[in-house]
Amino acid sequence: MHCVECNSPIDPNNMSFEMKLVDVQDFCRRCFDEIMADDGLPYLDDKGFMTMAA
């Protein structure tokens, strides 16, 4: 399984408590931590994909 954000392999042994709690299976820990730390809200870009405000 690979991260949908950065395409890195997802290591189940490196999942945080929060990732396990909400059963995150689409993001690696680095991307998940970045998303959770971001103050912006996701929005749809011009191609219809969900992204974070820059």
Side-chain angles (χ1 to χ4, degrees):
M1 190 175 293
H2 287 79
C3 177
V4 297
E5 184 77 18
C6 71
N7 205 34
S8 294
I10 297 173
D11 180 5
N13 297 321
N14 192 28
M15 294 177 78
S16 67
F17 171 77
E18 294 82 4
M19 291 176 76
K20 293 175 183 174
L21 183 66
V22 295
D23 195 25
V24 173
Q25 298 181 9
D26 298 324
F27 297 99
C28 67
R29 179 151 186 186
R30 182 180 58 85
C31 288
F32 180 80
D33 289 346
E34 287 177 8
I35 291 167
M36 296 309 291
D38 193 349
D39 292 336
L41 297 174
Y43 68 95
L44 295 180
D45 66 12
D46 59 343
K47 295 179 184 164
F49 294 105
M50 188 166 55
T51 186
M52 299 300 288

